[in-house]
Every structure is written in structure tokens, then in C-alpha cells.
Amino acid sequence: MKNMLLMSGSKYKNTEYLAHTIKWLKDFLADHKGKKVAFLPYAGVSRSYDEYEQTVQEKLAELELEIISVHRAKKHTDIIEQADVIAIGGGNTFCLLNQMYENQVLACIREKVENGTPYFGWSAGANVAGLSIMTTNDMPITYPPSFNALNLFPHQINPHFISGKIQGHNGESREERLKEFLIVNPTSLVYALPEGTALHIQGNQARVLGETAVLQFSQDMQLKTFEPNSTFTY
């Protein structure tokens, strides 16, 4: 049974990096102390993979996990295949997915997670768990072979969702961007994750974590709201 924790981002309000996720991860990985985590650092553009790995190791140290970045092996799938848990960090979603294709890790990750290996990701790492990355907020600074992602959660995810426009901003709001997506892709469902929220997915059930509701947008921007601690079938 799939067991995934998909988190909107690495920070919430004024918290330190990954600090607000610790309570979720402690519950999510309660039986995994000392276990090996395969970490994918591909989304990190402004820091090296070594630096990204070290940061995540330090920030999640109290979880007592063995976090190893996949770039430590010549064949990245070797670390994934040996891992007890898979984690994907945030950054640029296009770079992330491009490297996932280049290193041929998608099928390996998909198979392990479908067979019960826990998966957690934040921001871009949550986005790639969905059907495609077409609802990312990032600039396409590189070009992956396809926008199709892991499809472990068979719908679209929009992390870092913010409703409305910032004062003085004359570009499109997030709702307007998602409306454009749904005009072109009218049969899709988009799950918008505001800051400080996450989805804990077990099998075909998802539970909303955090203090804010998760939103579902469908054709013509029809809205469903899933309140904190509620569960829904997807």
C-alpha cells in the first residue's frame, strides 16, 4: 500500500528549514529509526548536491535516519533500490524531473513506492509525485524529456498555493494560472497545497495535515475544500 507524505514546502511562516515538518515526519516514520533514506537532491540549483545532502541530514538529525543522496553512487538507482525510505527535496521542478529522467530513476521509485516503501517530498518533491509537473510554480530553466512525473498521486499538485494577488502585482494570480491550465486540460483535478499543509496518503486515501484547508480545483474552477485532519478518497 502506498504511504506518502507530500508537503507544500520546507518552511512555514518564520520557522527554520524543515522545522515544521518534523512532527509529521516523526509520525510518518515512527518505525524507521536507523533506516536508510535515499535522498534526491536534483531540484537544488543554487547549492551543490553535497551541500543539499548535508543540510537535510542536519535538519532531520533528530529523526535518527541514515540519509544518503543518490549522487553518492555512480548508478543512482543502486541507492534507491537499497533504501527503506525515499525522499525528494524542493527547488526547481524542471531540473528535478530532468535529472530523474537522465538518471533513469522514475520506474525504480514508482515500483518501490507502489510496493509500500515510504515516500516523502516537499515543494518540487511533492509536485513530481503527481501526474505531471504542469502545475508547478517554477520557471522552465531546463527542459525534461516529458512533463509526465511519477503518477503515484494520479492528479495535479500545486505547492505553495497562495490565493489572490499581492498588492501592486499586476500579473496573474495563482487561481488565474490554474484556470488557464484547466481550460487546456478540462478533465484534470488540481490539488492546491497552501503553505504549512501536507497530504498523508495511504493507499487511495489522503489525510490533510496542517492548520489550513487543501483545495481541489476542477473544470471551470469548481472548488472543493478539504479541512485540516479530514480524509478523502482520490
Side-chain angles (χ1 to χ4, degrees), residues 161-180:
F161 177 79
I162 298 176
S163 182
K165 291 188 181 183
I166 300 171
Q167 187 174 3
H169 176 66
N170 294 313
E172 288 82 359
S173 68
R174 193 66 56 79
E175 285 98 339
E176 288 169 333
R177 287 298 192 199
L178 295 179
K179 181 179 180 180
E180 291 174 339

Side-chain angles (χ1 to χ4, degrees), residues 15 40 43 55 68 74 83 94 126 134 162 180 185 224 233:
T15 59
L40 276 70
T55 297
I68 305 172
K74 184 175 181 180
F94 292 92
M134 287 192 286
I162 298 176
E180 291 174 339
N185 302 276
K224 283 187 180 180
T233 301

